[in-house]
Every structure is written in C-alpha cells, then in structure tokens.
Amino acid sequence: MKSQLSKLDIKSLGRVGVLLGGRSGEREISLMSGNGVLEALLSKGVDAHAFDPGLRCPTELAKEKFDRVFISLHGRYGEDGTIQGLLDLLNLPYTGSGVLASALAIDKIATKQIWLSNGLSTPEFEELTADSDWNAVVKKLGLPLIVKPAHEGSSLGLTKVKSVDELPTAYGLAAGLDKKVIAETCIVGDELTCPLVGQGNTAEALPVIKIIPPQANYDFHHKYFSNETQYLCPTGLAPEVNERVQALALAAYRALGCRTWGRADVMLDQKTGKPYLLEMNTSPGMTSHSLVPMAAKAARVSYADLVLWLLNQTMQHKEGATA
C-alpha cells in the first residue's frame, strides 16, 4: 500500500465525494464512518466533500461535479448495489465492489449458495417464512441456532435461539426489518474477522482479528459503542489457523467478485477447529471501533493511509458496471 501511495499525486484525485448517512438501519454508523473518512482525506490534502443520500436526492450527485466517490454507506441503498448502479450510470468511479458483487454479498442466502457452489464452508441454513415448521427447522439446524434478516448488517434483528418456542418471536423480529429471513446453525467457538483488499488474483488478506465480546454477545451496542469488547490482533491462535482463515476469506471474496476491500466474518468451531464463513461485508465500517482499520494498523498502515489507498483504487475502476 505505502509504495503505491508514495507515487500518488493528490491533485489527480480531483473533487471527491464521501457518501455517508443514507437511509438504512445502519445510518448512525455510516455517519460515524463517513466523517472519519472525510477527516482522513482532508488531512491528506484531498478536496473531499460530504454527501448524504439520506438527506439529498442521490441524483443530485451529478450536480456536485465529483471526479470520484468514497462510499461510506452501510446496509441497504448503499451496500446492496443500488447506489453502485447509479454511480455507474453517472460514470463516477467509486470505492468498493460493483453492482453484482454488492447485491450478492448483502443477500446472506445468495452469498451462502455461491460459497457452497465453490466448496467453501458456511453454516447450514434455511430461509424462514411465517408458515415454516419450527420443529422441522430445529431438527435440521439443531440448537442453538441463529435467526437474522437476510439483508441487514451490524447484527440488526439477530437472535440466538435456544429453544423451539423462541423461533416465532425471533422470526417476527427479523421479518420486521426484512422480507427475507434466514436461520442458520450456530457455530460455537472463536469469533473472527478477516479484512481483504484488492481485486481478483492480486487481492490479499490482512491480519485476522479475534473478537471477544461480553457474554459472547457481539450485538449492535458491543460492536460500535461498548469498550468491553476485546479485539486481539494478532489473534493468539496458531499461525496455521490464521492462514487457514485468511485463505478461506480470500476464496470467499473472490467467489463473490468483490473488489477494493471487504471483510469476511468467520466462526472457528471449538470442537473441530474448522472455520465457517458467516457473511461478507463490502462496505466495512470505518469508526473508532471498526475492524478493517484495526487490521491495517497491525499491518503498519495508518487509518489515513488506508483511506487514501482505498480511494486511489478508484483510478482503476472506470470500466462501467462490473462485479
């Protein structure tokens, strides 16, 4: 990263828009991420400006005369391919994955189907409806199991179900946020995450982070606001385990056709030592508690340098609507 940045002409980046806020349930976190990114870019001398598509019509982007944009939106309407499609139509280079990869990655069911078709390990799952046979779901997936919306992030609407009687309530909570709801086998073990950068064969995995939340509850509060959650980087796991997780995360990233950056969440089964993919984030958080900056720091890349490197990748992405 640093070698690329040493040759970068800041003025060549032109007028930069930082997309933040938006309309999803993760608006609050997006504002935190976007303001951090904006501050970092300004500190590097970039002509950067905030643009909130939650407060302004996204079509007003054309009036801003941006040369490129940094997407700091999380969740729907920012991480699902919709804003990416608009930016492609405007011929505006942007950070992160294209329309197809973004749309696939935000859909946890589609993501799992692609991973399974590529022989990658992910917990067994089933799509739930109001008419689902709860006993059959438990028989298939076992207990405990996880119920969550198929298109939300940041653990919004997620429930750890410990008995069949809890399933209807868990489904109702998730269905209140999304029309598609997924249940998956709960893998008990170490909670890990692995950030990824680059594209295709040149993509690489950053250091793995081990997450230790209070009472093993890594919910919205413990992800973004609590100081009780512990993050270990290095993880303290055996080197071969870290390498196995990185290889799995990298394969998952490539299978979805992601580019620029992403973050794979992984569970390490405490009984078998086998890693299982949970989901792929294509517009990861950049807050003070976020994990990609943490891994970059472990790789001796500062927050501001990481942001600048990610923005610099847009110099290669003026090819229109791609993955």
Side-chain angles (χ1 to χ4, degrees), residues 265-291:
D265 295 333
V266 178
M267 289 298 297
L268 189 66
D269 192 311
Q270 65 180 13
K271 293 182 179 179
T272 65
K274 182 178 180 177
Y276 287 86
L277 293 159
L278 297 183
E279 55 189 83
M280 179 68 68
N281 300 275
T282 55
S283 183
M286 289 292 283
T287 73
S288 60
H289 286 64
S290 291
L291 303 169

Side-chain angles (χ1 to χ4, degrees), residues 22 26 68-69 78 151 179 229 264 308:
E26 298 178 73
R68 64 199 71 255
V69 298
H151 298 93
K179 292 180 180 179
T229 303
L308 192 57

Side-chain angles (χ1 to χ4, degrees), residues 26 60 67 81 83 92 94-95 98 122-123 138 151 167 179 194 202 242 244 261 264 304:
E26 298 178 73
E60 290 185 31
D67 294 293
I83 196 71
L92 255 179
Y94 52 90
T95 55
T122 186
V138 168
H151 298 93
L167 262 173
K179 292 180 180 179
C194 181
T202 62
N242 287 318
R244 197 181 317 143
W261 66 327

Side-chain angles (χ1 to χ4, degrees), residues 192-196 204-209 234-252 254 266 268 273-275 277:
L192 309 172
T193 195
C194 181
L196 306 124
E204 58 182 291
L206 293 179
V208 179
I209 299 171
T235 60
L237 300 170
E240 58 269 23
V241 175
N242 287 318
E243 290 171 6
R244 197 181 317 143
V245 171
Q246 287 177 309
L248 180 64
L250 197 54
R254 288 171 173 161
V266 178
L268 189 66
K274 182 178 180 177
L277 293 159

Side-chain angles (χ1 to χ4, degrees), residues 1 16 30 44 47 53 72 74 89 104 183 186 202 224 242 252 282 299 301:
M1 288 186 184
V16 176
S30 174
K44 291 290 188 178
D47 181 21
S72 285
H74 307 317
L89 286 171
L104 288 172
C186 179
T202 62
Y224 299 110
N242 287 318
T282 55
V301 177

Side-chain angles (χ1 to χ4, degrees), residues 36-112:
V37 166
L38 180 63
E39 184 179 339
L41 291 175
L42 291 173
S43 75
K44 291 290 188 178
V46 177
D47 181 21
H49 306 265
F51 185 99
D52 186 344
L55 301 179
R56 301 175 62 184
C57 179
T59 55
E60 290 185 31
L61 278 166
K63 299 178 183 178
E64 290 289 341
K65 305 296 183 182
F66 291 134
D67 294 293
R68 64 199 71 255
V69 298
F70 193 113
I71 299 178
S72 285
L73 300 169
H74 307 317
R76 281 180 279 189
Y77 313 117
E79 196 173 355
D80 61 356
T82 52
I83 196 71
Q84 289 78 9
L86 174 60
L87 294 171
D88 281 339
L89 286 171
L90 296 175
N91 201 28
L92 255 179
Y94 52 90
T95 55
S97 293
V99 174
L100 179 58
S102 298
L104 288 172
I106 204 168
D107 186 326
K108 296 176 178 63
I109 294 173
T111 294
K112 282 175 168 286

